[in-house]
Amino acid sequence: MKSIKIWSLCLTMLAASYAQAQQKEQIALKYGAQYSGKRTDEAMNKWRSNRFGQFIHWGLYAIPGGVWNGKTYNYAAEFLKSSAHIPTSTWDSLMYQFNPKKFNAREWAKLAKKMGVKYMTITTKHHEGFCLWPSKYTDFNISRTPYGKDILKELVEAYNAEGIDVNFYYSVLDWHHPDWRYDIKTPEDSIAFRRFLDFAGNQLQELATNYPTVKAFWFDGTWDNSIKKNGWWTYEMEKMLKSVRPGVIVNSRLRADDYGKRHFDSNGQLMGDYESGYERRLPNPVKDLQVTKWDWEACMTIPENQWGYHKDWSISHIKTPLELLEMLVQTTSMGGNFLLNFGPAGDGSFRPEEQKIANTIGDWMQQNGQVIYGCDYAGWEKQDWGYFTKRTASNQINMVVFNVPVSGILKIKAPAGTQLKKAYAGTKQFKLEEVAKDQYFIHLPVQVYTTPQVIVIETGGGGKGGQYQEAKT
Ligand code: H76
């Protein structure tokens, strides 16, 4: 007994000195995280409460739609220039065909509103380098197409009119710009890339200045050595955007620190305002609960890996509305935002499959959006039937049930000492049974369910007060 005590004392001391050493080992960084912890200002609280967003990939790649000279390329359609080895001058001349006859910004915004998204993130410029706004820093932009008008402005106005926030996706990687470099190997590279960074900085300043309602910048194409060796620039861009547009939000993907460490700096601090590494995948709802410590967003395609419009969707599994809805709910249950991608065609229309998905998800969201918007990680143990969400700054716990067991019994393990009072959906009340210490059953009618069921739990008071007979073993 005595030796156990001494050992545990030793271990405690060891742990304490280890923690101290860890703290001392903080590396001095010039370009690391600009603050620590979650932002709690109004703009960030709004971003977080939005929870569900629409991603839009639209550019010249929507015209060929993954097909070049009669050959279909199965890789992501927005990468066609690279997959089919198309010379830049050939690709760039697609600009003279960009004339989306069916484009109607207000219809796009109405579909998004119907789906229930609270924000939309649009590719202002993807890797191809083509700009959806009339940038004064390059001719490779919308004003030189037969369409001619500022599509970005039309979209911002139409979505904002529906009460939807608009965020700008911006690819730093640029296949069009002669000064882009993947790595810096010579003094010439260094000079050219410096010119490129000035160009990109000017464009970002232009976007932040000319579209004053922009809420966030979503950076992409930042993984190459050239950016990792220029962490200072990513630090400066975060600062610059926040000074031009106070409250604006940037994703962690923008950032690299002094040592080229990305997303999280060399001291393990998240850079930017939210983590943006979950792409076409979600964290594990049991094992990966560390994500609840910071803000994050997952982005998701409907096919396996198509962001821009691809003519042939038969080449991969197409996610169903229920699959996508479950991803949205799971993401909310872990304190993240879910950004679902759409790739409109070159004529400005949404394919029927995407419209169906938007409408089906929207039908559910109109009824049940209260368990998504303004909701967060509940801190309750995950159960097989689905997910818990919690309304921020309230005691309301929601259950979103995707798998009703054959018994109709939904098991709940409440946090220690939490009493459950009532389980209901609208005016319908379910039988709630306390079966053991902190354990409850909710009895659902045994039937076939075709949509996720929402049950609200009221906590506090009542119950057996923890009077249970403990087993002696
Ligand atoms: C790789 C890559 C890019 N990142 C995704 C968000 C899409 O934009 C895709 O093209």
Side-chain angles (χ1 to χ4, degrees), residues 232-282:
W232 67 272
W233 181 82
T234 71
Y235 181 92
E236 290 305 327
M237 288 304 105
E238 179 176 350
K239 280 210 131 155
M240 180 275 286
L241 290 170
K242 287 176 178 177
S243 81
V244 175
R245 201 49 67 208
V248 85
I249 290 157
V250 303
N251 61 342
S252 64
R253 198 177 292 206
L254 163 67
R255 297 283 277 107
D257 76 359
D258 315 39
Y259 298 94
K261 186 103 183 14
R262 299 189 54 240
H263 295 276
F264 290 85
D265 70 18
S266 300
N267 292 318
Q269 290 276 347
L270 178 71
M271 294 182 287
D273 301 306
Y274 68 92
E275 194 274 344
S276 60
Y278 285 97
E279 179 165 320
R280 296 188 290 122
R281 69 192 175 100
L282 297 184

Side-chain angles (χ1 to χ4, degrees), residues 370-381:
Q370 83 279 0
V371 302
I372 302 292
Y373 312 126
C375 290
D376 212 330
Y377 173 57
W380 290 34
E381 194 175 301

Side-chain angles (χ1 to χ4, degrees), residues 6 42 63-64 86 130 140 190 193 203 205 240 250-251 304 354 356 402 428 432 450 463 470-471:
I6 292 171
E42 207 184 312
I63 299 170
I86 301 164
F130 176 72
F140 193 38
S190 185
F193 199 62
Q203 285 207 316
Q205 187 151 20
M240 180 275 286
V250 303
N251 61 342
E304 186 222 337
E354 286 183 344
K356 170 114 196 292
F402 283 84
K428 211 165 30 183
L432 177 69
T450 56
E470 296 224 358

Side-chain angles (χ1 to χ4, degrees), residues 55 57 75-76 78-79 123 126-127 169 218 220-221 223 253 279 299 305 307-308:
F55 211 171
H57 276 69
Y75 196 68
E78 72 280 5
F79 270 80
T123 49
H126 201 263
H127 309 339
Y169 166 107
W218 204 108
D220 199 13
W223 42 73
R253 198 177 292 206
E279 179 165 320
C299 56
N305 184 25
W307 300 85

Side-chain angles (χ1 to χ4, degrees), residues 269-326:
Q269 290 276 347
L270 178 71
M271 294 182 287
D273 301 306
Y274 68 92
E275 194 274 344
S276 60
Y278 285 97
E279 179 165 320
R280 296 188 290 122
R281 69 192 175 100
L282 297 184
N284 180 296
V286 176
K287 292 188 197 138
D288 296 334
L289 289 177
Q290 79 279 357
V291 299
T292 60
K293 296 199 190 110
W294 48 77
D295 283 306
W296 61 280
E297 176 192 61
C299 56
M300 190 59 64
T301 47
I302 296 170
E304 186 222 337
N305 184 25
Q306 298 293 337
W307 300 85
Y309 177 79
H310 196 292
K311 285 178 183 161
D312 186 1
W313 260 22
S314 72
I315 55 187
S316 79
H317 169 66
I318 303 300
K319 296 178 191 75
T320 65
L322 275 177
E323 265 181 274
L324 295 164
L325 204 47
E326 180 158 0

